Each structure stands twice: as structure tokens, then as C-alpha cells.
Amino acid sequence: MVLGQLGAWRKKPTEEQSYRIPFFATVILLIILTLWAVWDETFHRRPWKDFQKAFFKLELEKVNKEYEEENKLFNSPRIQKQYQTLQEGLKTLEKGPQDSSQARAYHEAKEHLDQLKLKLQDFSRASQFSKSEYDAAYYKYEKAKIDRSSDAEKRKKQVDKLQKKLDEFSLKIKEVESQMAPLWSQVKSHDEELSETLVKIAQMTSKREGLQKKIADIKEKSPKIQQIVVNNLNRVDRCQTCHLAIDRSGFEDAKKYPQPFRTHPKLDVLLKNHPPEKFACTICHGGQGPALTVQTAHGEIPHWGTPLLRGEKVESSCQKCHSTVQVPEAPRATEGKILFTKLGCVGCHLAPGFENAKKVGPELNHIHQKTTIPWMTQWIMNPKGWSPSTRMPQFRVTQEEAKEMAHYLSSLNESQAMTDEEKEALKKGTPEEGKRLFTELACIACHPIGEEGNTFAPNLTNVGSKVRPEWLYRWLKNPRDYLPHGKMPNMRLSDTDIAHLVSFLTSLKREGSDLVSIDEPVKPESAEKGKQLIGTLGCFGCHDIQGMENSPRVGAELTTFGSKDLDLLYFGYAENIPHTLWDWTFNKIKNPQSYATERIAQKMPHFHLADEEATSLVTLLTGFTEEAKSIPLEARKTFTEKEKNIEIGRNLVRDLNCIGCHTIEGKGSEIAPNLNGEGAKVQPQWLFNFLKSPFAIRPWYTVRMPRFNLTDEDAIHLVNYFSSASDAPYPYESPLVTQGKDFQRDREAGGKLFEMFKCMSCHPVSLDPLAQKNQVTTLGPNLGLAKDRLRHEWIANWILSPEEFQPGTKMPTNFPKMSGKRISFVPNLLKSPQVQEMKKFFEDLYGSDLEAFLADASWQTRAIRDYLVTMGLSTSSEKPVQSSQPAQALSESKSQTEEKSVSVPVQSESSSSLPNTAHPEEKKAEDKKVEEEW
């Protein structure tokens, strides 16, 4: 029926047809669509409005609470009493002085002052106008003179007339000011008191009123878009539209303020150095800056290349601007850079900032002198099986392939038989004595044996099954003969010591695997196949191998790895791996064979890294982005000279494993002396000479400072590092002026105090080798070195408070602290009848200044210092203490330092030939007695 009616309607002429129903339906539909569009635009597409309203509510609650607390404090009886007193005082002061005659005089003076102020303003304004007229007239007069115009005289008269007018105004101004001066003195004291009262009232009410205003402002706030434009970084960010509290303190509590209402972590450090208005947000955190909905703003949408980085992942952005290895607030990125270097990743992959990295493995051209083909075969197949702590990765090679590689490496050099001289020397060694030496020399600071020791250097657990005894003997004698650029230092061992160590180390063998005693001849055909395998696997990336010095890297370039499109990543048959760059990289590093298939092999070896290590490397790799190359110079971190010195020095300290024995910057071991603050302690030139040619300073240490054969340039870098890390000036110049009566007097007093404190009971003072028989060698450093070794200002500070510089030190505290002040035992000591001669010495020396000297512990320590740094000098021919620093700064270039010969004095480890005044135990007993008397 309906179809019949519709057909009938269509048969009607057009002018007779009715369109009311279609038109009505269309209008209704348009209205619905319009309402939906308005709703979608206003609410659905603007969730940030709800976030802002929620934050305003939280902010209002927070400020209201602060206001309630402040109001409660303000209304407390104590504050109200003070406030009422001030208000009453204010009312009284506003009325003027209490005395009627004084009040009359005060009000008259104020009224007269107001009149004079108006008059002064009029005169000053008129004077300014006249000055302008004068300047214009003077200009015309000068021009007329230059042009030799006939108007010059006329102009001159006009200038003189205006000058006279200016002088008149100046006199009037001075006259008014002179009239105002006595009036000011009349009202000054009262007005100052009034002003002080107003200030006190304002201080009591300002915070409360400020909070009231803040509450009113919050209530008037309405949601609006917050936008930051950073032109040099091509950034338009609207992140703070939702994250309103990100740069504001007070919203740190995660329980009270969930995201996006929370303050940025480490606000004072991170946002203080990276203000959003200068760096924006997405430069570090990723995401889509202009977007205003959560998912799109966070970049968590298909095909957006930089999704939001959360937690530790954000550290990957640090290297865009920070080329330095040490980024304190980015431990993951820092560890990633260190690992990337340690693992030798740059040997296969080109990466920004690592272009000049050194090879991490030993050179292999002489490997056959060190070990045998059977051992090399097993090592290549499974390095972790021999040394669990090794950084050598495991390649997917068969035993036959590993043997072919060993044959090629052995073909590069013939093994050298042991000489008769070496055989005789090695017969003198015993494993027991070698073990004692190994412990005494603290070799475990670098090498592990079993579960003990540092993993910085190769594991020696089974070294006897690995290396030939003759090679080990030659290696310990001079490591640089084999590896000129290696890290193993020269331990300054005698031939006998070396024989003992070789005997001990060669006894450390794996049961049933004495592969060093088994060898086989090199087969040319196997060696040729091994050469091809080594070239394919890229072993030359970590090791120097003859004939492969210029071979190209075998791995992919990583310069823009962090910008790699997901479509270019091959996941193979891997399952349960999220399709993100981060997850792909993590699994690739953890197990390089994750994406291998029958058709596509993976050459990357297995490093057997822990999850934390893999995460650190992923953090580094995902930071190698296309954008990092275009960051402008002004946005990058640039080093000050101090920061540059510290950065280079830290890298050297890490490369040399100095913290294996020393504590440096609060990290490291206690095997050798603590080097915290070393730059403020020792003189740069002495430290340079010591690093180049070390000698024993503290005879009680059995561990000896090795010789690292540092270049002059590296030694200078270390000196500059220690000085910069301690904020100590260099080049060093002694602050002492060793001329004058006062210095001579203090020096003599210091010598007597040196004797009183029995310093020679612990410290030798002579550098004369002939004095060795009378030396004390096991308690304290030789003070004969103090003048050239220690910074002179440091000596006095150390004597005054050694326990503050180095907690747990053996140095006694001769000047204990009482009530926050250092005190001296000397005044009480001089009261003893047994030391009257010494007391008279000080009285004759200081006279009326004696009491001040005895009461000042710092003065006494400076006197001892003055004695130490001039010890041995004749008092009649004494000269100023000169700096031991060469004229040129230590930070000069390598070419300059190489041109100069560095004189390293041979220092005796002996002490003074002077007799010791007391045995250490006697000194302790005497010190205790003096302390009890005090």
C-alpha cells in the first residue's frame, strides 16, 4: 500500500509534490549533527578542561589549608598580642608626637616640608626646561663658531644669558634644600619609627593577605591552553595545559597528587637547568607537543615516531645535548656509554661520540707466544666457560671453525722458547711466596681469582692452563713490551718477585685441562680458512690483527638508530615481543639470535648481559636520533674549563681503574690512600712527577703504586682533574712570605711545638739515604717531602683537624674541638715545672703576644707549618718559599710538554738522622696524661 502511495506521489507533477517530510527530516538531522559537533568539540576533544578544573580544585584545597594554618597562627594569643601592640602604636604614631608643643612643631614642620617640596619640584622642572634651552643654544653657538658665522657673538650672549638663568635656578634649589634640611631632622625620628611599625605589621600580615589573594585568583581562573614555543628547537608544546604543576613545588606527593597534577621529579636539579620555556617538554620526554588529547599528546598512536618516554627511558634523550659520559642525573645513559666502550661495540658499529674509541681487546699478533692452539680453540668457542667475568662475547662457531681461527692467529708469530736465563730465574720461585706477593701487591684490585677480586682485568682462576710460563715471566717484567697501549701497569718487580708470581699463577690450573702444555703445528690451509672467518666476524674491531688494520666495520651504523622506523625492524619468528623499537633492541642485545631464521642469519655475538646492562645499552642506542644531529649549539651542554678537566680526568681514572685501590670522589677501595680532596692537598708539579715516576711515601703500605707509563699529556690531565675536583688553584703558588720578623718568630715557635708534640716519633724528616738506620718507617709519611709535596695552606689545616679531612686516620688530634672551637693543650702543658725552660723560650719569643698565641690553635698549626716548609734552610740566608710549579701552566698542550724534560727527583724513603724523642707508646701515654690534666 505504501509503495502504491509512493508511486502515486511520484506520478504527480513536480509542482504538486510535497517535500515537507524529507525537509523536516533533513533539518532534524542537521540540528543533531550540529549539536553533536559542538559537544564533541567542547567536551570530547577538550579533556584538558576537566584536568584543569580538577587541578584548580586541588590547588584551592591546598591553598585553603595553608591559609587556615596561617590564620590559626595569626590568631594565636602570642601573635595577636604583638599585632595589637603594633596597631595601637601605629594609631599613636599617626597622631604625631604626644607632647602638645612637640606635636605642634612636628605638624608645622610637615606642612612646611610639603610646601617646600612643591616649590622644589617647580624649580627643578623649570631648571630642566632651561637646561634644554641652554643645550640647544650652545649647539647653535658651537656650529656658528665652526662655520665662522657673524651670528657667533649673538649666540654667545644668548648662551651666557641662559647659563645665568641656570645658575639662578641652581641657587634657588640649594636654598630650598637648605631650608628643608632642619625640617627633615625634626620629623625624621618620628617618621622612621612610623615606617618601621608599618613594615612590622606588613610582615605579620603579608603571607595571610597573599594567601587570600591567591584564593581569590584561583576562584577566578578559567581553563585555557598553555603553549610554549621554542624556535631554535622547532618546538610547539602544550604539555603544561594538563601538567599545570610540573614546574611548581608543593605537589610532589604521589598519593595526594596523581598525574597530571604532580611536580616534576628532582625539580631543583632538572627543571632549574632545563626550564620548559627554553627547552620545552617533548625534547626530553617525546610525545606530540601540539596535541591536546591524552593518547595523541603522548604520541601513543600508529606511525608517531617519538612516543612518550616514561621512567628511566627518558634518559635516552640526554645525549641529544650531553656528549659527556658522566651525566649524574642519568645513571642508565651513563652506564650505557661506559658499557658501549667496555664491550667494544664501536669496533663493529659506528656511533656518534665514539668515533675515536680505542680497541678494547689485546693485540693478537703475538698470541702464539702467550698460549696454544688448543686453548685458543676452546676460548673462541666459549669464553665464559673459562672466565665468567670476561667481556669477550660468544660467537656461533663450530669447534672446527674455532680451530681454524686459532691456526690463523698462531701463524702471525712463532712461539719463543724459554731461554736458559729465564729457566734459572723461574727455578727460584715458589707458589707460597708468589701467593703472598699476589695478596701483598693487591692484584685482586684488578684481577679476580675464583669469587674474589675485581673484574676490571682478566680472570686468573685458571691462568696456569692458559699461558706459557716464559710469556708470563716476560709480561710481568715489562707489560708495555707486549702491549704499548695496554692498561697493565709496571709493578716495579724484581726478577725474584716475578719468579715467585709466575710459580704461583702457573699453579692455578683447571683440573684435566692443562692446554698450555699441548700444542700443534700451524696448518696453512686451516689458517687461510680462519683468516676468512675472522674477517667475516669482525674480530679486528676489538683486536689489532696483522693485515686487517684498515678493514671496515662489519656491523650496521648506529648514528640515527633511535629514529629507525618500526617497519624496517625484522622480528623474524619471534613471539611475545612488543613491536616497539625499545623491545626489539632489548631482545636483540639480550639474545642476538632472537630474530634468526633459516634464511636470515644473525652475526652479532652473544655477550650474556644482565637485564640491567641491556637496559642501559638500549637507553644509549635509542638516544642516537636524527634530531640529535640538529640540536643547536646553544642548547647543548658546553664544558667550562673546570668541567672539562674533571670529565677527562674521570675517564682516565676509570680506564686505569684507580678506584680499584683508592677512594676517589667518595667511590672506590681502601687498599691504598684515600684520594678525596687530593688536589687541595698536594702541589700539582709534585703530583705530576709522582705519577710519572712513583715511589713509596707511606712505608707501612705493602701495596705499591705501579708505574703506568703515562704520557705527559695524561699525567697533566690527572693533575688538572684532582685540582679541579677539589676547587684548588693551579698552577700552584705558595701563599707564604718567608721574610720578616713575624715569620721568623712563628717558624721558631713551630719548631719548638714540633718537638713538644714529638712529631718525629712517627714521621721521618730527612731525605738523606745515609740516615736510614735511625728512621721510623712504619708510622707516618716523611715530612722532609712536605715543602715540595704538600700545598702549604693545607698542612696547617690538616694538623688542626685531621679527623675532619680523613675519618679514621692514624694521625692524632692534637687540637680537639670543644664547644665548636679548636683548643690547644699547650697552655696547660707549659704550667708543668718540667718545661719551665720551654715556657721561657715562648715568653722571650712572643712577649706581650704570648697569651694570644697560646689561645689560638690555628696560629700554632700555622707556626708548625712554617717550620715544616722551611725545614733545613738556614735562618740567616732564608729566602721566600718558591712555587714548585713550572712557569708554564700544567694544562698546556701535549706538544709543549713533550718538548720539556721533566725532572723527577729521586726521593729517599728514609727518615731523619735526628734521634727520636719518644717511643710511640710513650707518646700515647704522655698525650693521655696531658689530656687528663686539661
Side-chain angles (χ1 to χ4, degrees):
M1 182 179 176
V2 174
L3 291 174
Q5 288 178 347
L6 183 61
W9 178 74
R10 285 178 176 173
K11 290 178 181 178
K12 288 183 180 181
T14 302
E15 61 274 13
E16 293 181 13
Q17 293 177 7
S18 174
Y19 291 91
R20 289 177 299 172
I21 294 174
F23 181 76
F24 178 76
T26 304
V27 169
I28 293 300
L29 182 61
L30 285 174
I31 290 172
I32 292 171
L33 288 173
T34 302
L35 291 173
W36 176 84
V38 171
W39 176 88
D40 184 60
E41 178 63 25
T42 307
F43 300 100
H44 182 258
R45 292 180 178 271
R46 300 191 182 188
W48 56 271
K49 284 189 173 184
D50 293 331
F51 286 130
Q52 288 198 9
K53 288 174 183 176
F55 177 74
F56 296 156
K57 185 178 179 182
L58 286 171
E59 187 181 22
L60 186 60
E61 289 173 359
K62 181 176 180 293
V63 178
N64 271 327
K65 187 176 180 181
E66 290 176 10
Y67 176 74
E68 287 170 8
E69 291 174 357
E70 182 63 25
N71 201 39
K72 185 178 179 182
L73 178 65
F74 179 75
N75 289 319
S76 65
R78 182 177 62 85
I79 300 296
Q80 277 299 303
K81 184 178 178 181
Q82 293 176 6
Y83 181 71
Q84 293 302 328
T85 302
L86 287 171
Q87 286 289 359
E88 290 170 7
L90 179 63
K91 290 177 183 178
T92 304
L93 288 169
E94 285 175 340
K95 293 176 182 178
Q98 296 297 304
D99 184 84
S100 57
S101 59
Q102 289 181 352
R104 192 183 316 112
Y106 171 78
H107 289 300
E108 288 176 357
K110 286 283 283 186
E111 187 177 345
H112 196 185
L113 264 176
D114 292 339
Q115 293 172 359
L116 290 174
K117 283 180 185 177
L118 292 173
K119 188 181 289 188
L120 183 63
Q121 288 176 3
D122 292 339
F123 286 153
S124 297
R125 191 181 302 109
S127 177
Q128 289 171 359
F129 288 143
S130 297
K131 180 69 168 59
S132 299
E133 292 177 0
Y134 172 84
D135 290 340
Y138 189 82
Y139 169 76
K140 291 177 181 178
Y141 164 63
E142 285 289 311
K143 190 173 186 306
K145 276 204 311 181
I146 293 170
D147 296 341
R148 298 187 179 182
S149 171
S150 57
D151 291 345
E153 190 62 31
K154 180 180 176 183
R155 302 277 184 200
K156 178 69 168 64
K157 289 179 181 179
Q158 188 178 3
V159 167
D160 292 341
K161 181 180 177 182
L162 289 169
Q163 180 64 57
K164 185 178 179 181
K165 189 176 180 181
L166 274 175
D167 293 340
E168 288 174 358
F169 278 124
S170 180
L171 287 172
K172 288 178 181 179
I173 290 170
K174 286 180 180 178
E175 183 181 352
V176 172
E177 287 176 343
S178 65
Q179 292 174 14
M180 292 174 73
L183 296 172
W184 275 119
S185 61
Q186 276 185 267
V187 302
K188 182 179 178 183
S189 60
H190 181 274
D191 283 1
E192 283 182 349
E193 189 178 354
L194 178 65
S195 178
E196 287 175 8
T197 303
L198 288 168
V199 168
K200 288 177 181 178
I201 290 173
Q203 287 174 345
M204 294 181 73
T205 60
S206 59
K207 186 176 180 180
R208 185 166 167 268
E209 291 170 355
L211 289 170
Q212 286 176 329
K213 185 177 183 305
K214 202 170 182 180
I215 290 170
D217 290 343
I218 293 171
K219 288 178 178 178
E220 292 177 3
K221 281 184 179 179
S222 58
K224 60 180 179 180
I225 292 173
Q226 306 289 334
Q227 180 168 289
I228 295 172
V229 179
V230 183
N231 291 319
N232 64 341
L233 294 177
N234 297 317
R235 296 278 159 178
V236 177
D237 276 8
R238 295 173 178 173
C239 306
Q240 286 182 274
T241 300
C242 295
H243 296 271
L244 289 169
I246 207 71
D247 58 352
R248 296 169 56 182
S249 60
F251 296 89
E252 292 83 4
D253 192 331
K255 292 181 180 178
K256 288 184 181 179
Y257 308 109
Q259 290 292 15
F261 311 126
R262 203 179 308 153
T263 303
H264 196 289
K266 300 179 183 178
L267 179 67
D268 291 342
V269 177
L270 296 178
L271 257 64
K272 181 181 178 182
N273 297 324
H274 307 83
E277 62 272 12
K278 184 177 178 182
F279 291 94
C281 303
T282 54
I283 191 70
C284 296
H285 291 274
Q288 190 175 179
L292 289 169
T293 59
V294 176
Q295 194 172 9
T296 52
H298 290 177
E300 294 166 342
I301 54 176
H303 308 298
W304 186 257
T306 55
L308 185 71
L309 297 172
R310 291 181 170 86
E312 292 180 333
K313 292 183 179 180
V314 77
E315 292 182 24
S316 63
S317 299
C318 295
Q319 59 214 45
K320 292 178 184 177
C321 304
H322 295 265
S323 59
T324 168
V325 170
Q326 308 287 349
V327 184
E329 298 303 325
R332 278 287 180 213
T334 300
E335 179 63 20
K337 291 181 181 182
I338 294 171
L339 269 175
F340 196 81
T341 303
K342 278 185 178 180
L343 298 174
C345 304
V346 73
C348 292
H349 304 278
L350 180 64
F354 296 87
E355 293 84 357
N356 300 317
K358 298 176 182 177
K359 294 183 179 182
V360 296
E363 65 91 14
L364 300 180
N365 295 325
H366 302 89
I367 188 67
H368 205 202
Q369 295 180 19
K370 177 180 180 180
T371 189
T372 62
I373 289 175
W375 185 88
M376 279 189 275
T377 302
Q378 287 201 14
W379 173 259
I380 293 168
M381 287 184 65
N382 185 13
K384 291 279 184 183
W386 273 90
S387 177
S389 60
T390 185
R391 290 295 183 186
M392 169 82 175
Q394 182 178 1
F395 289 88
R396 286 173 60 84
V397 293
T398 64
Q399 184 171 359
E400 185 61 31
E401 289 172 331
K403 181 174 284 191
E404 289 168 351
M405 293 167 71
H407 273 274
Y408 173 69
L409 293 174
S410 297
S411 71
L412 298 176
N413 195 271
E414 292 292 331
S415 61
Q416 295 180 357
M418 193 184 304
T419 64
D420 292 338
E421 183 181 350
E422 289 170 341
K423 289 178 182 177
E424 286 301 315
L426 287 173
K427 287 179 182 177
K428 300 175 183 177
T430 64
E432 295 76 20
E433 188 63 20
K435 184 176 182 180
R436 183 192 65 78
L437 267 173
F438 188 89
T439 304
E440 190 177 277
L441 295 172
C443 300
I444 59 171
C446 292
H447 296 276
I449 290 183
E451 298 297 322
E452 295 183 6
N454 198 334
T455 58
F456 176 79
N459 192 310
L460 302 180
T461 304
N462 301 307
V463 68
S465 298
K466 169 185 176 181
V467 300
R468 304 178 195 268
E470 60 270 25
W471 178 89
L472 189 56
Y473 181 88
R474 297 163 192 158
W475 169 258
L476 291 173
K477 199 169 184 68
N478 190 357
R480 297 302 169 100
D481 279 352
Y482 280 90
L483 286 180
H485 304 293
K487 295 179 181 180
M488 172 75 177
N490 187 326
M491 298 302 295
R492 301 185 285 140
L493 301 167
S494 67
D495 288 350
T496 304
D497 288 344
I498 294 173
H500 289 313
L501 284 170
V502 171
S503 180
F504 168 62
L505 292 173
T506 52
S507 71
L508 303 176
K509 296 183 178 181
R510 175 182 286 185
E511 189 175 347
S513 299
D514 190 10
L515 300 178
V516 75
S517 61
I518 308 169
D519 203 359
E520 57 185 87
V522 174
K523 298 177 181 177
E525 61 278 10
S526 295
E528 185 59 34
K529 292 178 181 178
K531 181 179 181 181
Q532 294 177 6
L533 269 170
I534 286 173
T536 302
L537 296 175
C539 305
F540 50 80
C542 291
H543 305 276
D544 283 330
I545 300 175
Q546 185 179 320
M548 298 184 179
E549 295 85 356
N550 299 316
S551 300
R553 293 178 172 90
V554 297
E557 183 177 343
L558 302 176
T559 307
T560 58
F561 177 81
S563 299
K564 188 179 280 289
D565 195 296
L566 281 176
D567 292 339
L568 300 177
L569 299 177
Y570 181 72
F571 284 82
Y573 302 143
E575 297 179 355
N576 301 321
I577 296 178
H579 279 224
T580 67
L581 178 62
W582 185 279
D583 292 289
W584 184 91
T585 311
F586 179 86
N587 285 279
K588 175 73 173 179
I589 292 171
K590 280 289 291 180
N591 181 11
Q593 300 303 314
S594 296
Y595 311 121
T597 64
E598 298 85 352
R599 296 182 60 189
I600 300 179
Q602 302 288 327
K603 290 193 297 183
M604 181 172 165
H606 201 326
F607 285 89
H608 299 281
L609 298 174
D611 286 355
E612 293 78 10
E613 292 176 316
T615 300
S616 296
L617 283 171
V618 177
T619 304
L620 172 74
L621 296 175
T622 51
F624 294 148
T625 63
E626 190 73 41
E627 183 184 39
K629 299 192 296 183
S630 60
I631 297 292
L633 187 62
E634 62 269 20
R636 295 178 183 273
K637 168 65 179 174
T638 54
F639 283 129
T640 62
E641 191 63 29
K642 174 185 172 181
E643 290 172 332
K644 183 179 179 182
N645 291 334
I646 291 175
E647 180 63 22
I648 294 172
R650 280 176 179 164
N651 291 338
L652 266 173
V653 164
R654 185 180 62 253
D655 289 344
L656 298 173
N657 192 36
C658 301
I659 61 172
C661 292
H662 299 277
T663 297
I664 301 175
E665 292 193 78
K667 299 177 182 178
S669 173
E670 297 180 356
I671 293 173
N674 188 315
L675 298 184
N676 286 335
E678 184 73 1
K681 175 181 178 180
V682 300
Q683 297 182 27
Q685 181 61 56
W686 179 89
L687 182 58
F688 175 84
N689 290 339
F690 180 79
L691 291 170
K692 292 287 288 182
S693 184
F695 59 93
I697 300 170
R698 299 169 178 83
W700 62 90
Y701 274 113
T702 55
V703 63
R704 66 188 70 176
M705 172 76 174
R707 183 179 293 116
F708 285 92
N709 293 334
L710 297 171
T711 64
D712 285 357
E713 184 179 26
D714 283 346
I716 287 170
H717 284 321
L718 286 171
V719 171
N720 288 348
Y721 159 65
F722 281 112
S723 296
S724 296
S726 301
D727 285 321
Y730 60 95
Y732 176 71
E733 291 184 6
S734 172
L736 304 185
V737 179
T738 59
Q739 290 177 328
K741 181 180 177 181
D742 289 344
F743 181 86
Q744 295 300 336
R745 180 183 67 175
D746 287 348
R747 179 185 180 278
E748 290 183 41
K752 190 62 69 174
L753 290 172
F754 188 84
E755 180 184 338
M756 286 175 67
F757 286 123
K758 298 180 173 58
C759 301
M760 286 189 295
S761 299
C762 298
H763 295 278
V765 295
S766 174
L767 300 179
D768 184 1
L770 299 177
Q772 291 181 0
K773 291 182 181 179
N774 296 318
Q775 289 177 337
V776 176
T777 59
T778 59
L779 297 175
N782 192 323
L783 295 181
L785 302 172
K787 173 177 176 283
D788 295 322
R789 173 178 171 242
L790 303 174
R791 290 179 182 259
H792 299 161
E793 62 276 18
W794 181 89
I795 298 173
N797 295 332
W798 166 259
I799 297 171
L800 185 65
S801 53
E803 79 288 355
E804 290 185 4
F805 281 86
Q806 188 175 321
T809 179
K810 294 179 181 179
M811 172 81 174
T813 303
N814 292 309
F815 300 91
K817 184 180 282 189
M818 288 188 178
S819 302
K821 182 181 178 182
R822 293 281 171 181
I823 55 97
S824 171
F825 292 139
V826 176
N828 272 13
L829 191 64
L830 293 180
K831 292 177 183 178
S832 174
Q834 291 84 1
V835 292
Q836 289 307 300
E837 185 179 339
M838 191 175 291
K839 181 179 180 182
K840 187 175 185 309
F841 168 83
F842 283 111
E843 288 173 346
D844 293 342
L845 193 62
Y846 280 98
S848 60
D849 292 336
L850 179 60
E851 187 175 342
F853 174 76
L854 294 179
D856 192 338
S858 297
W859 191 347
Q860 293 171 40
T861 59
R862 292 195 300 271
I864 298 172
R865 181 269 316 276
D866 294 346
Y867 171 71
L868 288 176
V869 299
T870 54
M871 191 185 293
L873 296 179
S874 170
T875 54
S876 59
S877 61
E878 202 157 352
K879 296 179 181 179
V881 177
Q882 297 295 325
S883 165
S884 62
Q885 181 70 27
Q888 292 85 351
L890 277 176
S891 55
E892 62 195 352
S893 68
K894 181 179 179 181
S895 59
Q896 289 173 310
T897 55
E898 286 176 344
E899 290 173 4
K900 296 198 300 290
S901 61
V902 181
S903 173
V904 184
V906 179
Q907 305 285 12
S908 167
E909 297 176 19
S910 61
S911 69
S912 173
S913 59
L914 297 172
N916 296 323
T917 56
H919 189 274
E921 294 301 324
E922 295 174 0
K923 182 178 185 298
K924 288 180 182 177
E926 199 162 311
D927 287 344
K928 186 175 181 181
K929 183 180 177 183
V930 171
E931 189 173 343
E932 288 170 353
E933 288 177 358
W934 177 266

